[in-house]
């Protein structure tokens, strides 16, 4: 593909403006989804031209592309004092709960008590913890700290080493190892399956 310089520069400016406008609308968001950016700026233009425009903007150090997220180089997720407080509240709630976490809805409500932060903004602040991998998503309802998940994985592997003949663990044993009820055990086991820590073997799991 070849394009004239002027329309190509116009496209780059259009892309950059859309990214900056997104940051103004969603200051707590990490950036804009690449596919959303394309739909808003280049829906009727060849994908190759769009990709090249992004590459030029990256080389000019105007944007950063992080997996499927595009952001302006100048964008930083600055939090106000109250927003920082809510962020700390969220993290503390999950740390204190360990593996017996409240639902996300209840966590968000508790985190904004005695603040002027709204629930939608608390959700955006929560996303920052997800992006930084301090909090791990297991289901739409249950989230855990990275530390709690790593500790759980270590416990499961230690259990398997002590049962080296078959390395199998069932739901009752998993509940005992983790110190949790079935409400948490099933989603956590499914998460461990997805992460290739365990694999289903009948009604039990093989620890890999």
């Amino acid at each position: 593909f070849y394009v004239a310089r002027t329309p190509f520069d116009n496209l780059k400016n259009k892309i950059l403006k859309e990214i900056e406008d997104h940051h103004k609308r969603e200051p707590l968001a990490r950036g804009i989804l690449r596919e959303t950016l394309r739909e808003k700026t280049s829906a009727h233009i060849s994908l190759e031209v769009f990709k090249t425009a992004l590459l030029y903007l990256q080389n000019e150090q105007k944007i950063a592309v992080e997996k499927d997220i595009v952001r302006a180089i100048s964008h930083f997720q600055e939090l106000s004092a109250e927003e920082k407080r809510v962020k700390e509240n969220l993290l503390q709630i999950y740390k204190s709960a360990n593996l017996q976490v409240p639902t996300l809805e209840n966590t968000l409500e508790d985190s904004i008590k005695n603040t002027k932060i709204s629930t939608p903004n608390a959700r955006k602040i929560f996303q920052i913890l997800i992006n930084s991998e301090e909090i791990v998503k297991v289901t739409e309802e249950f989230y855990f700290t990275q530390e709690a998940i790593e500790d759980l994985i270590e416990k499961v592997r230690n259990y398997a080493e002590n049962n080296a003949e078959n390395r199998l663990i069932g739901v009752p044993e998993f509940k005992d190892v983790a110190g949790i009820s079935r409400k948490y055990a099933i989603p956590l086991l499914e998460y461990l399956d997805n992460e290739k820590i365990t694999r289903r073997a009948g009604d039990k799991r093989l620890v890999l």
Side-chain angles (χ1 to χ4, degrees):
F1 289 96
Y2 292 82
V3 294
R5 170 63 62 184
T6 299
F8 185 69
D9 284 345
N10 289 342
L11 174 61
K12 285 165 53 187
N13 291 336
K14 185 178 181 182
I15 289 171
L16 188 57
K17 184 177 185 305
E18 183 58 42
I19 295 169
E20 290 171 344
D21 287 347
H22 178 80
H23 290 323
K24 289 176 184 176
R25 292 191 302 268
E26 303 286 347
L28 296 179
R30 185 158 49 117
I32 185 170
L33 283 169
R34 186 202 305 251
E35 191 56 37
T36 301
L37 180 62
R38 186 180 177 224
E39 288 173 4
K40 287 179 174 290
T41 62
S42 318
H44 304 296
I45 296 175
S46 163
L47 177 59
E48 292 303 320
V49 176
F50 172 72
K51 285 181 175 179
T52 303
L54 288 185
L55 183 60
Y56 269 67
L57 288 168
Q58 281 182 276
N59 291 339
E60 293 165 6
Q61 296 188 345
K62 292 180 178 177
I63 68 168
V65 180
E66 301 162 347
K67 296 182 180 179
D68 59 344
I69 297 292
V70 184
R71 66 171 177 86
I73 286 290
S74 59
H75 177 64
F76 295 95
Q77 294 165 301
E78 294 290 344
L79 300 180
S80 68
E82 270 209 326
E83 288 168 340
K84 288 178 181 177
R85 180 181 164 194
V86 169
K87 182 183 174 186
E88 289 302 316
N89 288 346
L90 287 165
L91 198 53
Q92 189 55 48
I93 288 168
Y94 282 105
K95 283 183 177 180
S96 298
N98 195 24
L99 293 175
Q100 301 189 69
V101 295
T103 63
L104 176 58
E105 182 180 353
N106 289 338
T107 303
L108 293 174
E109 289 176 0
D110 288 343
S111 73
I112 61 176
K113 285 179 179 177
N114 302 318
T115 75
K116 296 179 181 178
I117 304 298
S118 66
T119 301
N121 268 352
R123 188 176 288 274
K124 292 175 184 176
I125 296 167
F126 181 71
Q127 186 61 45
I128 294 174
L129 293 171
I130 299 292
N131 294 344
S132 66
E133 299 183 352
E134 292 174 86
I135 297 293
V136 176
K137 178 181 179 179
V138 170
T139 70
E140 293 294 337
E141 188 177 20
F142 293 133
Y143 295 76
F144 302 82
T145 64
Q146 181 69 45
E147 183 180 357
I149 292 294
E150 289 175 356
D151 183 58
L152 174 63
I153 291 172
E154 184 179 356
K155 287 179 178 178
V156 168
R157 285 177 170 159
N158 286 340
Y159 176 88
E161 288 174 8
N162 292 329
N163 295 271
E165 289 184 8
N166 55 33
R167 297 185 66 83
L168 292 175
I169 187 169
V171 174
E173 294 80 16
F174 181 76
K175 286 165 56 181
D176 289 342
V177 167
I180 54 176
S181 66
R182 187 179 181 85
K183 176 175 74 171
Y184 299 108
I186 300 304
L188 281 168
L189 278 169
E190 290 174 353
Y191 171 82
L192 295 180
D193 291 345
N194 291 334
E195 293 297 308
K196 305 295 189 290
I197 305 300
T198 57
R199 185 178 68 224
R200 288 193 72 104
D203 59 349
K204 294 189 176 184
R205 258 79 175 183
L206 174 66
V207 182
L208 303 176

